[in-house]
């Protein structure tokens, strides 16, 4: 598991949807894409965090 910087925790799907005035499914899709690209990691019960040192390529 890569280290995640705890200062960069993301909002919940519902909070992101409310903040950006989008549907929850859109927020879920966006975070799924970010996870697939290795930019964020989800930790069950703890939230989603930005990866501290993502592999870019």
């Amino acid at each position: 598991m890569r280290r995640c910087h705890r200062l960069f925790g993301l909002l919940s799907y519902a909070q992101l949807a409310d903040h950006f005035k989008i549907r929850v499914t859109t927020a879920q899709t966006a975070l799924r894409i970010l996870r697939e690209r290795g930019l964020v990691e989800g930790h069950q019960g703890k939230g989603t965090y930005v990866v501290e040192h993502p592999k870019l390529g």
Side-chain angles (χ1 to χ4, degrees), residues 2-41:
R2 284 176 259 156
R3 287 180 14 139
C4 294
H5 200 294
R6 304 227 9 118
L7 294 178
F8 296 105
L10 300 178
L11 300 173
S12 70
Y13 296 136
Q15 290 169 323
L16 286 169
D18 184 56
H19 179 79
F20 291 105
K21 307 297 185 236
I22 59 175
R23 293 178 185 232
V24 171
T25 56
T26 302
Q28 291 170 331
T29 300
L31 287 180
R32 179 183 49 79
I33 291 168
L34 292 173
R35 273 193 303 276
E36 289 171 355
R37 294 182 182 182
L39 299 174
V40 300
E41 285 187 348

